[in-house]
Amino acid sequence: MALFTPDRSQYPQTRADGSLDIDLTSGKYLKLWQGPQHPGITGNMAVELTVCGDEVVEGRTHVGYLHRGFEKLMERRTFIQCFPIVCRICVPEPDFNEYCFAAAVEELAGIQVPERADWIRTLILEMGRINSYLMYLGGQAGAFGLGVIGQWTTYARDLMLDRFEELTGGRIYHMFILPGGVRDGLPDGFATRLEETLRELETVMRDVYDTLFCNAVFKTRACGLGVIERDWLDPYGVTGPNARAAGMSKDVRRDQPYLVYPGLDFEPVVATDSDVYARADVRRRDLLVSIDLIRQILARMPHSGPLMAEVPNVLHWKIPLGETYIRGECSRGEYGYYLVTDGSGYPRRVNVRGPSYTHAMALLERMIVNANISDVAALMVSLHTYPPEIER
């Protein structure tokens, strides 16, 4: 068998300040750009690569291609006018922004949400989690050239979007979770149709497992690629499936319970290899957990009772002076809203803590060093990041 020893003499030396001594005029290095591309899991972001041959020696993340200034826009609008804005901070999983902002307003305003509304909110969040995972799985397979997986998961996601449209009137942006509760209850026969969708999802996921996770090419390329070391988790703020794939059993739904999660039976999905394959498998199994949680919710949800608490006229609503931080577990990790009010009809300060910021910036830039050019897309997708969370 032929052995190959890479020539590291071409690699940059480190300067006294820790930066790399890269001289592009030397002919040893080349600048390449990965992205920006859209649509896709990584969306409108790009990585500026410095390569030596086909190996990456440095990577710098660039965002700014879709900056919308969500947080500043919200500070210039009434509380109810913020809801068409927050759902756009994460398009594949918009409902989580609706919940976090609504919960923050409710806490500062002293509003008690009816129990039935909490059950419906939990149902919506788990449906959204499934949609986000389905989009991720198609993107991760596509990064390795396995396009058929994306067709299957897009089909399955479209079935769930049918249920969202039936429940909320919208397929992508729903604006269904409002301060005080939810807009409406479940339509007649909705539980039956949702169960049919869940059974179809299980069939698709079996095909995805057989075709992707048992695929020799995928396993050869993904196993051992992009390992996140355990001692990186806290310094880099790694949460969600990226952390659980590294052996950290951490899930806000269980550790700081909210909505009706304390009454549901589930355990976070954990792996230990912490590579691209492990992260994909954790998300696949977590999707199956969400299917089970939806069935638990449908079986135990109250069928009567109020859906909205009493709230003032939302057009002239003034929230008392205060501040709060609301967190939850979205498909990418811990998601949080920090809200400050000053007694006026507008938020004084809004700050969104999206997991994409830490995962797609510092963490990716560390992981990408010494990777092969052909693996860059797979590494980016494996962290499951959405740029609007970064460009807030």
Side-chain angles (χ1 to χ4, degrees), residues 23 46 82 86-87 92 102 108 110 152 168 189 207 210 275 291 305 337 369:
D23 180 8
C82 291
V86 297
C87 55
L108 294 177
W152 293 347
T168 70
D207 291 339
D210 292 339
D275 53 18
I291 291 176
Y337 266 63
V369 175

Side-chain angles (χ1 to χ4, degrees), residues 283-342:
R283 292 182 176 101
R284 177 190 66 85
R285 291 187 287 148
D286 202 26
L287 189 154
L288 299 178
V289 169
S290 290
I291 291 176
D292 181 65
L293 287 174
I294 288 175
R295 286 181 170 138
Q296 293 184 50
I297 293 166
L298 292 175
R300 299 170 57 184
M301 179 187 297
H303 298 291
S304 60
L307 295 166
M308 282 287 293
E310 269 194 49
V311 298
N313 184 329
V314 294
L315 299 179
H316 306 284
W317 196 359
K318 290 180 171 58
I319 306 296
L321 175 70
E323 61 180 322
T324 187
Y325 178 73
I326 297 294
R327 63 163 55 89
E329 184 77 19
C330 72
S331 63
R332 295 155 325 282
E334 180 178 328
Y335 210 98
Y337 266 63
Y338 174 63
L339 176 63
V340 181
T341 53
D342 57 8

Side-chain angles (χ1 to χ4, degrees), residues 135-174:
M135 179 174 281
Y136 156 80
L137 285 169
Q140 186 68 88
F144 288 105
L146 300 169
V148 68
I149 305 298
Q151 297 178 38
W152 293 347
T153 56
T154 299
Y155 157 72
R157 186 171 181 270
D158 206 51
L159 296 179
M160 189 62 81
L161 292 181
D162 288 343
R163 303 286 75 78
F164 266 116
E165 184 177 18
E166 181 182 1
L167 176 60
T168 70
R171 295 179 68 80
I172 305 299
Y173 301 132
H174 309 125

